[in-house]
């Protein structure tokens, strides 16, 4: 039987031991060789657990990333800490850094994480990268005296292209671009002007890849998922979806399980999806600690199949389980149990849909 494609979004909660080691290393109290031993153990254990769920495509769970958004900025010297602040519903905030001078470049590319994962993986690997649009928020609103915004954006596009390219060069079968700021942009600018600028920028990055390569690139959207809280779940999802699907990529990973009115959103997806696109619908609510049953997952997929052509449908989790390394709101055991439920529920739905029959 042919199964519906299914993939996770990315991050898995880090163990307490790994988090403590990361803090010790950052404070100069743990040598690099010992830190690498912690990383090796965390990646190996994560991959073994993901493979045990039956996941056909896996990742390293972002065990060695500081966060999904800041990994390209680690150790850069031309950043200040007082950038844009993102408030979450529960009252906590995350703050981006601010660029202080040019030129802008990444300190590392996401493809550099893949060699470690390949040592342990027996299944195809995907890799997540941060969007160019998220990185564009680093440029200060007042500008920089000797580094124009146009120069910055030109450098940013080159770096974002190189980031994605590094993943393919190191063996990733799919590259996922994290675009969590998409829904947030509608809160900041309900006119959708900011969202359109974000999409235009990301499409400039995509223009550097062939049509075949773009079929292996996907964009992820969600209302945020940090410490079991969101930053933009109050924004009407159907306001985002039509523009979101104008991104020139082949795959879209879309939060849906936690949506208050998923049918309304699924209808909009079905009305706007293009022939060369696949939508991986979120069937796991990562900010709800209750583990879904495979039957619940199956029901969510069958509902999605009423509005999205089955040959353009896949399943995923709403978000990563731990986008920032200090987020332990969800346990590792819960995360793996939820992923296993997604895999089993996807199999059940595939049987009901008679795929391959």
């Amino acid at each position: 039987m042919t199964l519906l494609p299914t993939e996770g979004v990315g991050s898995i909660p880090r163990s307490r031991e790994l988090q403590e080691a990361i803090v010790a290393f950052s404070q100069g109290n743990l040598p690099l060789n010992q830190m690498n031993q912690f990383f090796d153990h965390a990646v190996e254990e994560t991959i073994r657990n993901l493979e045990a769920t039956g996941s056909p495509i896996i990742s390293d769970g972002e065990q060695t990333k500081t966060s999904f958004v800041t990994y390209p900025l680690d150790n850069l010297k031309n950043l200040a800490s007082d950038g844009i602040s993102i408030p979450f519903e529960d009252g906590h905030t995350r703050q981006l850094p601010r660029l202080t001078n040019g030129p802008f470049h990444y300190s590392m590319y996401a493809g550099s994480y893949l060699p470690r994962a390949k040592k342990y993986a027996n299944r195809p690997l995907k890799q997540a990268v941060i969007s160019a649009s998220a990185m564009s928020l680093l440029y200060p609103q007042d500008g920089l005296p000797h580094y124009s915004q146009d120069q910055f954006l030109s450098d940013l596009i080159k770096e974002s292209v190189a980031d994605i390219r590094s993943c393919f060069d190191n063996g990733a079968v799919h590259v996922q671009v994290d675009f969590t700021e998409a829904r947030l942009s509608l809160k900041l600018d309900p006119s959708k002007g900011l969202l359109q600028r974000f999409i235009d920028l990301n499409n400039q990055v995509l223009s550097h890849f062939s049509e075949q390569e773009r079929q292996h690139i996907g964009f992820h959207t969600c209302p945020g998922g940090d410490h079991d809280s969101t930053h933009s779940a109050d924004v009407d999802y159907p306001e985002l979806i039509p523009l979101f699907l104008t991104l020139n990529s082949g795959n879209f990973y879309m939060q849906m399980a936690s949506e208050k009115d998923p049918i309304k959103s699924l209808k909009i997806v079905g009305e706007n999806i293009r022939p060369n696109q696949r939508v991986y619908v979120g069937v796991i609510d990562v900010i709800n600690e209750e583990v879904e049953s495979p039957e619940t997952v199956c029901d969510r997929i069958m509902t999605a199949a009423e509005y999205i052509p089955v040959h353009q449908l896949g399943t995923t989790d709403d978000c990563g389980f731990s986008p920032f390394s200090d987020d332990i709101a969800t346990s590792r055991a819960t995360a793996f149990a939820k992923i296993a439920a997604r895999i089993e529920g996807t199999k059940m739905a595939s049987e009901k849909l008679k795929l391959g029959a």
Side-chain angles (χ1 to χ4, degrees):
M1 183 186 66
T2 302
L3 296 180
L4 287 168
T6 185
E7 299 177 14
V9 166
S11 59
I12 299 294
R14 288 76 164 174
S15 69
R16 177 67 70 182
E17 293 77 15
L18 177 59
Q19 288 187 323
E20 291 174 352
I22 291 171
V23 171
F25 178 70
S26 68
Q27 296 173 344
N29 297 323
L30 188 71
L32 178 60
N33 66 323
Q34 290 187 30
M35 186 69 255
N36 278 324
Q37 290 175 13
F38 277 100
F39 281 151
D40 283 340
H41 176 72
V43 170
E44 181 179 18
E45 183 185 47
T46 298
I47 287 175
R48 293 289 173 263
N49 277 286
L50 285 173
E51 290 183 340
T53 67
S55 298
I57 295 180
I58 61 171
S59 74
D60 65 359
E62 301 186 10
Q63 298 296 287
T64 62
K65 278 185 180 178
T66 50
S67 81
F68 79 103
V69 64
T70 58
Y71 70 88
L73 310 177
D74 291 344
N75 301 315
L76 289 183
K77 305 302 182 185
N78 56 343
L79 297 173
S81 61
D82 58 345
I84 291 175
S85 182
I86 301 172
F88 284 77
E89 187 179 21
D90 66 356
H92 86 276
T93 62
R94 293 286 185 179
Q95 191 163 24
L96 294 176
R98 172 179 57 86
L99 191 69
T100 58
N101 59 273
F104 176 71
H105 63 86
Y106 284 15
S107 61
M108 67 183 305
Y109 297 132
S112 65
Y113 297 106
L114 284 159
R116 176 179 266 122
K118 286 165 68 176
K119 290 193 300 183
Y120 307 111
N122 297 299
R123 296 184 186 172
L125 287 161
K126 70 179 289 186
Q127 181 63 48
V129 303
I130 190 59
S131 66
S133 50
M135 291 291 96
S136 73
L137 297 173
L138 302 178
Y139 192 83
Q141 291 185 342
D142 295 336
L144 292 171
H146 303 293
Y147 191 53
S148 70
Q149 187 172 37
D150 285 345
Q151 289 175 303
F152 165 71
L153 291 176
S154 177
D155 290 339
L156 171 58
I157 290 169
K158 291 177 184 176
E159 289 295 82
S160 185
V161 170
D163 198 28
I164 296 172
R165 182 71 64 194
S166 74
C167 298
F168 287 137
D169 289 346
N170 282 283
V173 296
H174 280 176
V175 179
Q176 171 192 296
V177 182
D178 288 324
F179 190 25
T180 185
E181 71 279 8
R183 196 162 177 175
L184 179 63
S185 73
L186 295 177
K187 179 180 285 190
L188 302 174
D189 177 15
S191 76
K192 302 182 184 178
L194 179 59
L195 174 60
Q196 187 63 65
R197 290 197 295 275
F198 282 169
I199 287 173
D200 290 344
L201 178 59
N202 291 325
N203 274 335
Q204 286 186 66
V205 172
L206 289 168
S207 71
H208 291 264
F209 296 89
S210 68
E211 176 61 30
Q212 183 177 7
E213 288 171 327
R214 291 198 296 271
Q215 289 301 305
H216 295 270
I217 299 173
F219 276 74
H220 168 242
T221 184
C222 71
D226 184 39
H227 293 296
D228 283 354
S229 185
T230 63
H231 54 54
S232 54
D234 55 333
V235 173
D236 191 25
Y237 208 1
E239 289 296 304
L240 167 65
I241 292 169
L243 276 174
F244 180 63
L245 290 171
T246 65
L247 286 160
N248 293 324
S249 65
N251 301 311
F252 296 82
Y253 305 90
M254 301 183 65
Q255 162 265 345
M256 203 65 70
S258 59
E259 195 62 22
K260 292 180 181 178
D261 189 355
I263 291 178
K264 180 181 177 182
S265 298
L266 288 167
K267 286 180 179 178
I268 301 296
V269 172
E271 291 167 0
N272 287 273
I273 191 171
R274 290 180 283 172
N276 62 340
Q277 296 175 333
R278 183 183 298 277
V279 171
Y280 289 77
V281 173
V283 292
I284 295 294
D285 183 354
V286 300
I287 62 175
N288 184 337
E289 295 302 299
E290 182 179 351
V291 177
E292 290 86 348
S293 68
E295 290 77 13
T296 294
V297 171
C298 179
D299 288 344
R300 289 171 176 169
I301 297 168
M302 298 303 292
T303 298
E306 295 179 27
Y307 305 99
I308 301 172
V310 174
H311 69 279
Q312 293 179 271
L313 182 62
T315 68
T316 189
D317 310 315
D318 272 1
C319 189
F321 289 92
S322 180
F324 296 86
S325 63
D326 62 356
D327 182 1
I328 54 171
T330 300
S331 71
R332 285 174 66 81
T334 296
F336 290 125
K338 281 176 167 279
I339 292 168
R342 167 167 53 80
I343 301 301
E344 186 59 31
T346 299
K347 290 178 181 177
M348 293 171 64
S350 298
E351 292 173 358
K352 286 190 174 185
L353 293 167
K354 302 186 185 303
L355 294 185

